[in-house]
Amino acid sequence: PTTNSLSNANDIMHEYTFSQIKSVLESEFDVKLVPALQNRVGFQVDEILEHEIFRKLGILFYELVAQDEPSLPRSLSNPDHSGSFQQSVQCEGNLRNDEDPLAEDEVRDYKGTCKDLKKLDLAGPVDLLQQKSLPFFVCRLVIDLIECGICEEGIFHSLKDVKSELTQILNEPDIFLKETNIGEMTMRFGSGKIFGRNDELSSLIQAALMTPFLAESNVSTVVLIGGDPGAGKSTLVHAIKEPICNHGWRFLSCKFDRLTENQPLSTISSTFNEFFQRIATILSEVEDGIRVDDAVSQYVRRTTSLIETHLSAPGIVFLSNLIPSFRSLFANVFQRVVVDNEDSDGDGEQRVSVENEDSDFDDVQKETSQGSERHASFNSDDIGANNNDFVDDDSCDCLVSDTIKNRLHYLFQELTQAISSPDAPIMLFLDDLQWADKESLELLTSLIVDVDQLDAHQRCISFVGTYRSNEKYKNQSLVDCIESIERSNATQVTRMQLGGMDIEGTNAMIADALKLPIRLTRPLSVAVHQKTLGNPLFVKVFLTMLFEEHAISYSFKKKRWLWDMNIIHQRSMDRELAAILSEKLLSMSREVQETLTFVACFGMRIRKDVLSMASYDSEEASRILSCLKIAVKESILDEDDEYFSFPHDLIQQAAYERVPKEVAFSYHFNIGLRILKNSVFKGQTDPISLVSFVALDQILAAKSVTVSEPALRVPLAALFLRAGRYSLGVAAFPSALSYFERGLSFMGDDGWELNFELSLRLHESACHACYLNALPDRVPTYVDEVISHTENFMDQVKCHHMAMRTLASTGKIKKAIYKFFEVMKELGEEFPDKVDPSLIFSTLTSTKDDLSKYSTEDLLNSPKMTDKRKQWAIILMGSMSPYIFMVTPMLSPMISARIVFLSLRYGLTTESAFGLFMYSYGIGCLLQDIDEGHRWIRTSRLMLERFNATSQYPKLKCVQYAFLIYLKEPFQSITSVLLDCRQETMMVGDIEYAIFSSTWRGQFAVLTGEHLSQVEKECDSLSKDMIRLKQTQSILDNASMHSMALQLIGSSKDPFALSGVSFKDEDEVLEFVEKSGNKAHAISIYTYRVVTACFFQRYEDAAEMIEKYHSKLTKEDFRIHTVIYTFYEGLIAFRTARAQPDVEKWPKIGGRAIRSYQTWAKHSEWNFENKLLLLEAEWLLTKGEYDSAEKKYVASMESAHRHKFVHEEGLAMALMAHYFKSRGDAGKEKEYLDGALACYEKWGAFGLVSHIRGN
């Protein structure tokens, strides 16, 4: 038939060839047919001809699909190009009947002809084609093309319509190329299908494609999608899940809920838990010999290996509290690790044990507000009232909890680093962020923006978040989160705002639901779009309403859906969607309505096992299940193997708000009590299990609803205490405070008399939670409450501790220290009002004498401290010592000596290790008894190991290496250790000391002559980390070091730009620091400016800096700056002494430097020999002993080269060149100057090299 068809087409359409029609279909489908043909043939084509082209195309298609020619009336087979038809049209037979001609006046006018031809029954040709076993919709397409211009319904407007319909048929063969079963005659919306979102889908895919490339720069892609409820935000994201997973991606999805139902952070943790459960399953299959895809197997093995490397055993154990699948996945880790008490969620308490008779408990639930005579057996010991380790447990809680959040965030960062890579990227979908709680948003913010720029392993992850635009500003934490993400240098953000679909998108969605070609649904879609503005959920609801009102119905005769446009135009969508959904719910039986409200109390979904626990008995559980099945049938609920869930949160909201708030609160409370009765109170479930938290959150949602029976009040309060303690352990501080306060609500006004110990624990914990939540104004309330109800000072000490820390955290450090001394006096420990060097010397000497009586073994085998007053005294000294060091550093040696004294007399605690180190620092650095100081360093480490306080070890290790060990160990080894300390302190959540580790590592990098490009990179990264982690106390210190590195490199970058204060030059920086009274920062700035001036040979500027230093600052402590500054100060002093021979102070300054280095060199030749030799060379040159000076210069160069201090080797050569210049030996001068420049180039000091050559 091809030859015949082409022949007929060419005869009918004159010079229009089939190839021209094909060309129009393929390349110009976006334009109207008539203009397209006019452009091609160059002559006028009228309206009749436009319809004629469609009809002839229909004839062509008929011949192609039926392999036969259609039997057409003369009016259709021989049209008049002037615009009129044959006056005789028959209407019987295939298409028309020859016995019933239309009147001549009805066919003269074309429009009149079209109007009357609509009355013709054209079912015959469709039936004929179907008799040839052709699909109905193919037949419909062909006949509608032939009819084009006769019937208005389904008219084709352009070749785009033809092409779209052919594409639709080919893309949906199950719908359009198969016969429709009667059972399928229901209106169904395609789950997961996307309509009218091509641009947004393209942007989402583009962000995903960019992710691996941006990962090379440690940048993550972030897509934030806002929109109204029902706009299809979630559907849009899920649409790319399968395509990207087919290309090696992993897709993780977590959906936040308006009503929380689980443990803190459970939305995020459950997502990761499910991911690792799949990995564990794959590993199990591999071990069982089951065939697994090689790429998947390789990914799983690599991922588990990287997790063990990145997180280490303690980190894996810590995260297992949130990701239980770690326990099976890393069973080998749990077999070899002994978990720290402070790393576990235990708090020294036993499980709550409550026994109830079922009938009694049921009555209490039914008559919550009336009370009853039923009682439950409750033992106060079960909540730890008689726990002898109370202070130890609580003290650890106080000192560690505020680092738990940092640790948790860092471990999740390392986790995502381990599971993602450029060849296996991750997409983390965060749905409904407007419902996310504060702690989850804080974790997500950290996860997205806190990227370790120095980590060699590239993280490759794309974050996609959706939120309701109209709810965004109701959640300030979400606003803060988005602002942080958009400001971050570690993200590339794409913003989308999802509105309604356009008419084409609406039409595509409706055509898909009705299984019709899009041209047929266009009139309906235009009307629906006007009513719904293209919101996908509104479209679904509106069409469902029309279906229920029979405005849309299926015609078996015509084999398609039909609709009544009059009814549709009259129907309104001017009410809130929630009201419409409420109407839908009200149409159901009262029992189903109440069941849906019951389910809505759990949020978007309810686990089936929890459903049975929330029922009174098996009969009620069966009744509830029957009602839920009805709701599933009506598409109000979805069901899978594990959950019943609402299809959309607006439906859940409508079900929940069906009853007044007070009634909803009663629902929540009774649900919570039922679950506890059927699980925890029967001893079948752990008090901090998932089920327990579901119950407690239900009671929490009940607001002020409570019970009056002591038999229930006490165990409920105890359970909330446990839940709060668990929340503290996973850094969910806001949740913890909510649990503690709800627990207190059950204790009531007579709580202290009802159960003193439990009431005390709840008040202390609430006070602690207020501190951790940065609510300083609320801390005094709990402190005063405890003090007013207790007589024993030891019952008050924890709250006093929180009061001190609150004062210090709000900048009231002097008030905090004053309160510290008041509390210490109550504990029997007083300190002198004034401290001078002689008192420090005598105190440290006395402590040395006391320690001399103990060997290391004796000290480590000392008993544990049991005296609670002394325990708390040491805890408070350890807690407040950083603030005391900041304000009155002279008191620090006194604090350390007191800790050692109490430890020797009363026994050891964890804090004893830090007291011993502080003593070793004082004796080694302040009294220069370095050997004695080093003697006790290892002992302090072993002491921590004895107490299994592994989370404290990185901090101790950090300060030991940075403050004392460097006096013996090579500087190069110190830099690598401090780099490890940075990761180790982050791993345990100690961000403050992680920043200190990085800062001190930079200082040692200056001492070792590490390549300046690396120093500059780390300084820049550190400044960004300080801002990101809100640890800016040392940012000017780091900026000063950064400035020195930039000048030596020759860069004009401003190192102070990130400090938050605008400075025009370094003099202004120094003035700012001096006015602030921060001596440590001032010392840093003076040190680095003196070093820079020395290398650039600006000796007069350096001498001026030294004079200012001595006039404004005194050395009250000993740090690494002391070592750096003393060396360069000595060099400048001798140089200035030669220029100013009459000034006596310069030789004295130089002499002090030599004496210091002579002492230090005795303990570490590697670190200090070359520096001492160079100082001695300058001193001999100043005295005029040239030959001896020359030998010292050479010896210094050789020592620097031998000990790998390339920058100081170059400095010695440069000073040697100056020496020969002063001696008039130009040849030697050039020789040594060239050597100096070579060393400086090796150091990376290209700016310094250019400067020297320029001079």
Side-chain angles (χ1 to χ4, degrees):
T2 304
T3 304
N4 185 37
S5 298
L6 289 174
S7 174
N8 288 341
N10 284 323
D11 290 344
I12 295 171
M13 295 187 287
H14 308 295
E15 67 270 30
Y16 303 134
T17 64
F18 185 77
S19 61
Q20 287 174 311
I21 295 294
K22 181 181 178 184
S23 176
V24 173
L25 280 170
E26 292 180 345
S27 63
E28 297 195 29
F29 57 84
D30 58 338
V31 297
K32 293 286 285 183
L33 172 65
V34 171
L37 295 181
Q38 286 178 180
N39 291 337
R40 287 185 176 276
V41 302
F43 63 82
Q44 184 69 30
V45 183
D46 60 19
E47 183 177 330
I48 297 300
L49 180 58
E50 180 178 357
H51 294 149
E52 196 69 19
I53 294 301
F54 284 120
R55 283 194 289 273
K56 298 313 175 185
L57 190 59
I59 294 171
L60 177 62
F61 284 176
Y62 188 105
E63 294 174 352
L64 288 172
V65 299
Q67 298 189 12
D68 193 5
E69 293 185 16
S71 176
L72 301 173
R74 291 187 300 272
S75 62
L76 295 180
S77 59
N78 297 299
D80 182 356
H81 283 278
S82 65
S84 62
F85 288 93
Q86 296 291 332
Q87 294 183 2
S88 178
V89 182
Q90 309 299 323
C91 293
E92 193 69 23
N94 287 341
L95 288 179
R96 298 288 182 265
N97 190 337
D98 293 334
E99 298 177 1
D100 186 18
L102 293 174
E104 182 177 348
D105 59 341
E106 290 180 332
V107 295
R108 287 177 180 171
D109 179 75
Y110 171 67
K111 292 182 179 179
T113 301
C114 292
K115 178 179 180 181
D116 290 329
L117 286 175
K118 286 194 297 180
K119 303 175 183 177
L120 300 178
D121 184 4
L122 299 179
V126 175
D127 292 335
L128 264 180
L129 287 175
Q130 284 197 285
Q131 289 173 10
K132 297 178 181 291
S133 299
L134 295 173
F136 171 79
F137 284 106
V138 174
C139 302
R140 188 73 263 171
L141 167 66
V142 173
I143 299 307
D144 286 349
L145 280 169
I146 294 173
E147 284 186 319
C148 192
I150 300 175
C151 298
E152 292 180 4
E153 182 184 21
I155 191 170
F156 290 95
H157 295 286
S158 72
L159 289 178
K160 179 180 179 180
D161 288 349
V162 182
K163 182 181 189 329
S164 296
E165 188 158 331
L166 288 171
T167 302
Q168 190 179 12
I169 291 172
L170 292 173
N171 288 344
E172 301 284 355
D174 290 340
I175 296 174
F176 295 107
L177 297 181
K178 294 181 180 179
E179 287 299 321
T180 304
N181 296 324
I182 293 177
E184 296 175 353
M185 305 307 174
T186 55
M187 185 169 53
R188 297 187 182 278
F189 294 94
S191 176
K193 290 187 177 181
I194 294 293
F195 304 99
R197 305 293 191 195
N198 290 339
D199 291 343
E200 293 85 351
L201 199 60
S202 177
S203 297
L204 198 54
I205 293 173
Q206 184 63 29
L209 292 174
M210 288 297 297
T211 302
F213 299 100
L214 293 172
E216 298 176 2
S217 305
N218 280 319
V219 173
S220 298
T221 56
V222 179
V223 181
L224 298 173
I225 306 173
D228 293 332
K233 303 179 290 294
S234 304
T235 306
L236 174 67
V237 180
H238 279 289
I240 72 166
K241 176 181 178 179
E242 183 176 351
I244 65 173
C245 289
N246 289 338
H247 286 79
W249 283 67
R250 270 72 187 172
F251 186 91
L252 280 68
S253 175
C254 53
K255 184 177 180 65
F256 294 95
D257 198 341
R258 191 164 66 99
L259 296 176
T260 58
E261 60 170 347
N262 297 326
Q263 295 138 308
L265 297 173
S266 63
T267 302
I268 297 173
S269 62
S270 63
T271 298
F272 282 92
N273 191 53
E274 291 172 7
F275 174 77
F276 287 109
Q277 280 178 338
R278 292 196 297 270
I279 287 183
T281 301
I282 294 170
L283 276 178
S284 177
E285 291 174 350
V286 171
E287 292 172 357
D288 293 342
I290 300 175
R291 177 66 179 172
V292 177
D293 182 79
D294 290 340
V296 173
S297 176
Q298 183 181 0
Y299 169 79
V300 167
R301 293 187 181 279
R302 183 187 66 184
T303 298
T304 52
S305 175
L306 284 173
I307 289 174
E308 289 199 50
T309 302
H310 278 255
L311 267 63
S312 73
I316 290 172
V317 172
F318 180 85
L319 280 186
S320 67
N321 291 318
L322 290 173
I323 308 176
S325 55
F326 270 16
R327 298 184 182 276
S328 59
L329 186 60
F330 300 103
N332 59 320
V333 171
F334 285 87
Q335 289 172 359
R336 68 173 186 262
V337 171
V338 178
V339 185
D340 301 355
N341 289 333
E342 62 194 53
D343 285 346
S344 69
D345 59 348
D347 52 23
E349 298 177 7
Q350 303 298 316
R351 290 187 180 184
V352 177
S353 176
V354 180
E355 297 178 358
N356 265 40
E357 293 295 330
D358 290 354
S359 59
D360 290 346
F361 206 104
D362 290 345
D363 292 338
V364 172
Q365 294 172 25
K366 295 173 182 177
E367 301 174 337
T368 300
S369 60
Q370 298 177 10
S372 70
E373 298 178 356
R374 284 159 299 281
H375 297 280
S377 173
F378 178 77
N379 185 350
S380 62
D381 291 347
D382 289 343
I383 62 164
N386 296 327
N387 186 353
N388 291 329
D389 295 328
F390 168 55
V391 175
D392 278 340
D393 293 338
D394 281 6
S395 64
C396 288
D397 211 31
C398 289
L399 295 174
V400 176
S401 287
D402 49 358
T403 66
I404 288 178
K405 180 187 292 185
N406 302 330
R407 183 183 190 186
L408 178 72
H409 290 184
Y410 183 75
L411 288 174
F412 263 99
Q413 293 162 25
E414 291 294 297
L415 186 62
T416 57
Q417 198 96 347
I419 66 176
S420 66
S421 63
D423 59 339
I426 293 283
M427 177 171 285
L428 180 57
F429 175 34
L430 310 164
D431 198 9
D432 279 334
L433 282 169
Q434 74 277 357
W435 306 131
D437 53 276
K438 183 179 179 181
E439 48 261 58
S440 295
L441 289 170
E442 288 178 347
L443 174 57
L444 290 173
T445 303
S446 174
L447 200 60
I448 295 170
V449 306
D450 295 350
V451 179
D452 190 348
Q453 299 293 334
L454 302 179
D455 198 316
H457 183 79
Q458 294 178 359
R459 183 180 76 168
C460 190
I461 185 166
S462 178
F463 299 90
V464 181
T466 64
Y467 58 89
R468 290 187 187 178
S469 301
N470 61 336
E471 299 277 355
K472 169 186 171 184
Y473 292 101
K474 296 180 181 179
N475 187 342
Q476 186 58 44
S477 296
L478 175 59
V479 174
D480 296 340
C481 172
I482 292 175
E483 289 178 352
S484 298
I485 291 170
E486 292 182 325
R487 286 197 307 266
S488 174
N489 294 323
T491 60
Q492 178 170 294
V493 181
T494 300
R495 293 293 295 267
M496 293 186 199
Q497 185 63 33
L498 227 57
M501 301 176 291
D502 58 15
I503 291 181
E504 293 300 322
T506 303
N507 190 28
M509 180 179 177
I510 294 175
D512 180 77
L514 301 181
K515 310 298 187 291
L516 287 174
I518 54 177
R519 63 184 173 85
L520 296 181
T521 56
R522 186 178 289 113
L524 171 63
S525 299
V526 170
V528 172
H529 189 272
Q530 290 174 346
K531 305 288 184 180
T532 64
L533 301 180
N535 183 291
L537 180 60
F538 288 16
V539 171
K540 290 180 183 180
V541 172
F542 189 61
L543 284 180
T544 302
M545 290 192 323
L546 295 176
F547 173 75
E548 292 171 350
E549 296 173 2
H550 306 293
I552 296 179
S553 59
Y554 189 82
S555 169
F556 288 96
K557 179 181 180 181
K558 293 186 176 291
K559 299 182 180 181
R560 51 161 290 190
W561 291 88
L562 300 176
W563 46 86
D564 190 324
M565 294 301 296
N566 291 327
I567 296 178
I568 293 171
H569 284 305
Q570 294 171 6
R571 198 65 170 89
S572 174
M573 274 283 286
D574 56 356
R575 293 170 299 157
E576 290 288 335
L577 183 59
I580 296 174
L581 294 173
S582 295
E583 281 187 7
K584 170 72 174 176
L585 296 178
L586 291 173
S587 67
M588 310 191 75
S589 70
R590 181 174 181 80
E591 190 174 24
V592 172
Q593 292 180 47
E594 291 177 351
T595 302
L596 288 172
T597 302
F598 164 82
V599 172
C601 288
F602 290 88
M604 282 293 292
R605 62 181 187 173
I606 180 174
R607 285 171 41 187
K608 291 181 177 179
D609 59 337
V610 173
L611 182 65
S612 61
M613 292 184 187
S615 305
Y616 282 117
D617 49 36
S618 59
E619 182 180 345
E620 185 188 52
S622 178
R623 188 168 59 253
I624 290 174
L625 187 61
S626 299
C627 291
L628 295 182
K629 293 290 186 180
I630 295 173
V632 170
K633 187 176 180 180
E634 294 293 326
S635 300
I636 293 177
L637 283 179
D638 292 332
E639 181 185 7
D640 58 27
D641 293 339
E642 191 175 357
Y643 289 96
F644 284 103
S645 57
F646 289 95
H648 198 277
D649 53 13
L650 284 177
I651 301 175
Q652 182 268 340
Q653 181 180 343
Y656 184 74
E657 294 177 352
R658 187 187 66 84
V659 297
K661 287 184 178 180
E662 292 73 17
V663 177
F665 293 162
S666 178
Y667 268 76
H668 283 298
F669 194 80
N670 288 325
I671 288 171
L673 285 181
R674 290 180 210 167
I675 295 174
L676 290 176
K677 166 229 168 179
N678 291 321
S679 57
V680 178
F681 288 172
K682 284 187 175 181
Q684 298 176 357
T685 308
D686 190 280
I688 55 170
S689 68
L690 174 66
V691 171
S692 176
F693 271 95
V694 171
L696 294 179
D697 282 344
Q698 288 294 320
I699 296 174
L700 193 65
K703 304 300 181 182
S704 59
V705 179
T706 186
V707 292
S708 59
E709 291 72 28
L712 282 177
R713 288 166 56 194
V714 172
L716 285 173
L719 281 174
F720 275 101
L721 176 64
R722 291 297 302 270
R725 290 286 183 86
Y726 174 88
S727 300
L728 289 181
V730 295
F733 301 148
S735 295
L737 181 57
S738 297
Y739 289 132
F740 294 141
E741 291 181 334
R742 188 64 166 120
L744 283 169
S745 73
F746 287 108
M747 298 303 291
D749 296 335
D750 61 340
W752 291 97
E753 292 76 23
L754 180 65
N755 190 306
F756 176 86
E757 189 68 27
L758 179 58
S759 191
L760 176 62
R761 289 289 188 90
L762 282 166
H763 280 90
E764 288 175 337
S765 299
C767 181
H768 185 195
C770 287
Y771 164 73
L772 294 172
N773 280 291
L775 299 171
D777 294 338
R778 295 179 60 181
V779 169
T781 302
Y782 290 105
V783 174
D784 294 342
E785 178 73 10
V786 169
I787 292 174
S788 64
H789 286 89
T790 56
E791 296 179 359
N792 188 339
F793 185 78
M794 293 307 298
D795 291 333
Q796 305 171 8
V797 67
K798 184 176 179 181
C799 285
H800 283 304
H801 183 201
M802 286 300 102
M804 289 179 217
R805 300 191 73 182
T806 300
L807 288 170
S809 68
T810 55
K812 302 172 183 177
I813 297 177
K814 290 185 177 180
K815 288 186 177 181
I817 293 175
Y818 180 78
K819 185 171 184 62
F820 162 75
F821 286 122
E822 284 187 333
V823 174
M824 291 301 292
K825 188 175 181 179
E826 289 286 344
L827 293 172
E829 302 297 328
E830 297 189 51
F831 290 87
D833 294 332
K834 294 183 180 180
V835 178
D836 55 33
S838 62
L839 181 58
I840 292 175
F841 178 84
S842 63
T843 301
L844 291 175
T845 302
S846 176
T847 305
K848 179 180 178 181
D849 293 339
D850 291 338
L851 283 170
S852 67
K853 301 171 186 176
Y854 293 83
S855 66
T856 300
E857 186 177 357
D858 291 337
L859 191 59
L860 292 175
N861 289 327
S862 298
K864 288 186 178 181
M865 187 177 291
T866 57
D867 187 314
K868 302 302 181 184
R869 300 182 76 85
K870 301 309 175 186
Q871 278 185 340
W872 270 106
I874 290 184
I875 289 170
L876 296 179
M877 284 189 282
S879 177
M880 295 302 295
S881 60
Y883 302 107
I884 292 172
F885 186 79
M886 290 171 58
V887 177
T888 54
M890 299 285 280
L891 266 175
S892 291
M894 309 298 293
I895 296 290
S896 65
R898 186 66 59 87
I899 293 176
V900 172
F901 171 77
L902 292 177
S903 299
L904 294 177
R905 184 169 180 178
Y906 296 97
L908 302 181
T909 70
T910 302
E911 288 74 19
S912 299
F914 285 94
L916 191 59
F917 166 71
M918 291 165 61
Y919 158 76
S920 67
Y921 166 73
I923 202 76
C925 294
L926 298 182
L927 301 189
Q928 293 292 293
D929 192 345
I930 296 173
D931 289 333
E932 175 69 10
H934 273 262
R935 176 189 173 192
W936 297 109
I937 283 180
R938 186 171 182 274
T939 305
S940 63
R941 294 182 199 166
L942 294 173
M943 199 174 289
L944 281 182
E945 291 179 8
R946 176 189 170 182
F947 286 93
N948 200 22
T950 53
S951 65
Q952 297 294 308
Y953 179 69
K955 174 181 176 180
L956 180 64
K957 177 181 174 182
C958 172
V959 295
Q960 285 178 341
Y961 275 87
F963 280 78
L964 190 58
I965 292 179
Y966 73 87
L967 291 172
K968 282 199 169 186
E969 296 293 327
F971 288 154
Q972 289 87 348
S973 68
I974 303 296
T975 59
S976 61
V977 170
L978 288 174
L979 189 59
D980 292 339
C981 284
R982 177 186 183 276
Q983 183 175 5
E984 291 168 7
T985 48
M986 286 293 288
M987 197 69 74
V988 299
D990 196 339
I991 287 181
E992 182 180 16
Y993 274 85
I995 293 298
F996 286 154
S997 297
S998 298
T999 304
W1000 294 333
R1001 200 206 97 79
Q1003 294 165 0
F1004 280 97
V1006 172
L1007 277 171
T1008 59
E1010 193 169 306
H1011 200 279
L1012 287 169
S1013 63
Q1014 180 65 20
V1015 174
E1016 192 280 326
K1017 177 184 176 182
E1018 291 187 19
C1019 286
D1020 184 69
S1021 177
L1022 180 57
S1023 289
K1024 293 174 181 176
D1025 284 345
M1026 288 176 172
I1027 293 170
R1028 177 170 53 83
L1029 300 174
K1030 297 180 177 62
Q1031 294 287 332
T1032 57
Q1033 61 268 39
S1034 299
I1035 194 167
L1036 290 179
D1037 191 344
N1038 181 65
S1040 301
M1041 181 167 54
H1042 195 189
S1043 174
M1044 182 192 73
L1046 290 169
Q1047 291 180 61
L1048 291 168
I1049 290 171
S1051 172
S1052 59
K1053 190 194 305 187
D1054 180 9
F1056 297 97
L1058 294 174
S1059 65
V1061 183
S1062 178
F1063 301 108
K1064 65 180 181 181
D1065 54 35
E1066 288 195 30
D1067 289 334
E1068 195 170 278
V1069 176
L1070 185 57
E1071 182 181 354
F1072 172 81
V1073 169
E1074 289 175 340
K1075 285 182 178 179
S1076 69
N1078 194 319
K1079 294 181 179 180
H1081 287 168
I1083 291 172
S1084 297
I1085 294 175
Y1086 277 114
T1087 298
Y1088 294 124
R1089 291 191 67 176
V1090 168
V1091 173
T1092 305
C1094 184
F1095 276 105
F1096 279 94
Q1097 302 169 4
R1098 297 194 294 263
Y1099 301 117
E1100 292 182 1
D1101 292 345
E1104 183 180 346
M1105 283 289 105
I1106 292 171
E1107 287 183 318
K1108 287 182 178 179
Y1109 180 95
H1110 284 278
S1111 67
K1112 296 183 178 182
L1113 298 172
T1114 58
K1115 298 178 182 177
E1116 294 184 352
D1117 60 359
F1118 186 94
R1119 307 184 191 186
I1120 189 60
H1121 283 118
T1122 306
V1123 174
I1124 301 174
Y1125 181 83
T1126 300
F1127 175 55
Y1128 290 96
E1129 182 188 54
L1131 295 178
I1132 298 299
F1134 289 129
R1135 179 79 184 184
T1136 307
R1138 294 196 293 274
Q1140 303 174 13
D1142 298 332
V1143 180
E1144 296 181 356
K1145 66 179 178 181
W1146 295 113
K1148 291 181 180 179
I1149 293 174
R1152 285 199 300 269
I1154 288 177
R1155 289 192 295 276
S1156 294
Y1157 270 85
Q1158 284 174 339
T1159 301
W1160 300 334
K1162 292 176 183 178
H1163 300 280
S1164 177
E1165 179 183 293
W1166 182 286
N1167 289 338
F1168 303 111
E1169 181 190 63
N1170 73 296
K1171 301 171 183 63
L1172 175 60
L1173 290 168
L1174 192 56
L1175 285 168
E1176 291 174 341
E1178 286 290 300
W1179 170 234
L1180 291 170
L1181 182 60
T1182 302
K1183 294 195 299 180
E1185 298 178 16
Y1186 301 116
D1187 292 340
S1188 298
E1190 186 174 333
K1191 292 177 183 178
K1192 292 286 187 180
Y1193 279 127
V1194 173
S1196 177
M1197 294 175 214
E1198 292 173 347
S1199 178
H1201 181 78
R1202 187 168 60 254
H1203 298 133
K1204 307 183 187 310
F1205 298 119
V1206 64
H1207 63 310
E1208 291 171 354
E1209 181 184 357
L1211 180 60
M1213 287 185 173
L1215 294 177
M1216 185 72 157
H1218 276 281
Y1219 162 74
F1220 282 115
K1221 180 179 181 181
S1222 66
R1223 304 286 290 170
D1225 190 338
K1228 289 285 188 179
E1229 177 193 359
K1230 184 178 185 305
E1231 176 187 346
Y1232 282 101
L1233 186 58
D1234 288 344
L1237 295 176
C1239 289
Y1240 290 156
E1241 286 182 341
K1242 189 175 180 181
W1243 186 28
F1246 303 111
L1248 175 60
V1249 171
S1250 298
H1251 172 78
I1252 294 175
R1253 284 178 175 159
N1255 289 341

